[in-house]
């Protein structure tokens, strides 16, 4: 599986990024994958490679490139509960500095770069994200509806921008929520907003999960939920991108 470290020109400099894609010299649908707040690290590289193995060109940008190349902060091999407070103390200033304006400016640069790669086929792409990356994926799909055919977000605060943002979506959507992040009542309100906006979607709470359930290098990891994530993500991409 070919992989590359790339540098994406942005309005504020260059974002380093990781890309994985099938071998063989053909063109494939593009997927912009937003990492969780911990950023690009072995587990994200492995997830990108696994997705690429299904026939996609997967681009994972360093969200916090303004503060340095990935890894922006030093991370332990396993991000257990005992180290989370110290890690979050370093991460939160980076998250807070990543304003909505920066998110959308970067998203434009990432989408332009992704669709310009010689291994990427013509047409819209998909965006997917984890944790805060889920919110960034949501904002990208809402801001650039003509460029995004599919949106998937997992354990992300996808409703944070309110129903007006949801109403701008034209992509087909899957939201996989952690049981610890969203009550059934809050899920109902989110899904009502998606219904009102006419969005094609699935949005569900993954049973027995806590925030971060897809990430195998954290205590939140839930293997069954990660399998469910693939079971939802791959058919979504197949429906929306495979024939492009």
């Amino acid at each position: 599986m070919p992989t590359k470290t790339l540098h994406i020109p942005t309005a504020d400099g260059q974002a380093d990024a990781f890309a994985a894609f099938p071998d063989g010299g053909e063109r494939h649908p593009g997927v912009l994958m937003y990492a969780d707040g911990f950023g690009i690290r072995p587990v994200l590289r492995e997830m990108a490679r696994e997705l690429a193995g299904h026939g996609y060109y997967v681009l994972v940008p360093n969200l916090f490139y303004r503060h340095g190349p990935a890894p922006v902060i030093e991370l332990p091999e396993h991000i257990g509960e005992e180290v989370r407070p110290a890690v979050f103390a370093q991460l939160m200033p980076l998250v807070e500095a990543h304003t909505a304006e920066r998110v959308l400016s970067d998203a434009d640069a990432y989408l332009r770069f992704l669709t310009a790669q010689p291994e990427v086929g013509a047409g819209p792409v998909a965006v997917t994200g984890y944790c805060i990356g889920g919110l960034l994926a949501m904002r990208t799909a809402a801001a650039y509806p003509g460029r995004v055919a599919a949106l998937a977000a997992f354990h992300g605060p996808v409703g944070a921008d309110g129903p007006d943002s949801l109403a701008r979506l034209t992509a087909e959507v899957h939201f996989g929520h952690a049981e610890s992040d969203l009550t059934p009542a809050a899920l109902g309100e989110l899904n009502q907003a998606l219904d009102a906006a006419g969005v094609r979607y699935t949005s569900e709470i993954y049973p027995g999960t806590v925030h971060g359930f897809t990430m195998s290098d954290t205590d939140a990891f839930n293997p069954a939920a990660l399998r469910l994530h693939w079971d939802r993500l791959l058919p979504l991409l197949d429906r929306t991108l495979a024939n492009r």
Side-chain angles (χ1 to χ4, degrees), residues 85-204:
V87 170
F88 271 104
Q90 297 178 77
L91 277 178
M92 286 314 297
L94 310 186
V95 173
E96 290 165 1
H98 202 51
T99 61
E101 291 76 18
R102 285 182 168 183
V103 170
L104 297 188
S105 173
D106 287 349
D108 179 56
Y110 299 156
L111 291 172
R112 289 179 185 276
F113 184 87
L114 174 60
T115 54
Q117 296 312 294
E119 301 91 352
V120 175
V125 302
V127 291
T128 184
Y130 304 89
C131 181
I132 186 177
L135 177 59
L136 304 191
M138 166 68 202
R139 288 176 171 171
T140 299
Y144 302 105
R147 302 194 225 173
V148 178
L151 161 63
F154 302 92
H155 47 84
V158 293
D161 295 340
D164 288 347
S165 183
L166 299 173
R168 293 196 294 273
L169 292 172
T170 60
E172 185 175 344
V173 172
H174 174 70
F175 293 148
H177 310 285
E179 202 170 75
S180 65
D181 285 347
L182 208 63
T183 65
L187 175 68
E189 291 177 9
L190 174 64
N191 291 355
Q192 283 181 350
L194 291 166
D195 286 333
V199 176
R200 293 166 297 149
Y201 75 94
T202 55
S203 173
E204 60 187 311

Side-chain angles (χ1 to χ4, degrees), residues 4-26:
K4 290 181 181 177
T5 299
L6 300 166
H7 292 88
I8 304 171
T10 74
D12 293 329
Q14 285 199 330
D16 52 303
F18 175 79
F21 49 94
D23 207 349
E26 298 177 352

Side-chain angles (χ1 to χ4, degrees), residues 78-84 210-213 215-222:
H78 183 83
I79 308 167
E81 290 305 314
E82 70 284 357
V83 301
R84 283 176 75 92
V210 296
H211 182 76
F213 59 79
M215 296 297 153
S216 63
D217 60 353
T218 73
D219 289 349
F221 180 54
N222 182 314

Side-chain angles (χ1 to χ4, degrees), residues 15-50:
D16 52 303
F18 175 79
F21 49 94
D23 207 349
E26 298 177 352
R27 301 176 78 190
H28 302 276
V31 179
L32 174 59
M33 178 185 283
Y34 286 109
D36 62 357
F38 298 130
I40 299 173
R41 59 197 192 282
V43 66
L44 259 295
R45 295 174 190 271
E46 182 53 40
M47 291 178 79
R49 282 192 290 264
E50 182 162 350

Side-chain angles (χ1 to χ4, degrees), residues 22 44 51 123 146 206 225 234 240:
L44 259 295
L51 182 52
Y206 285 25
L234 294 173
T240 54

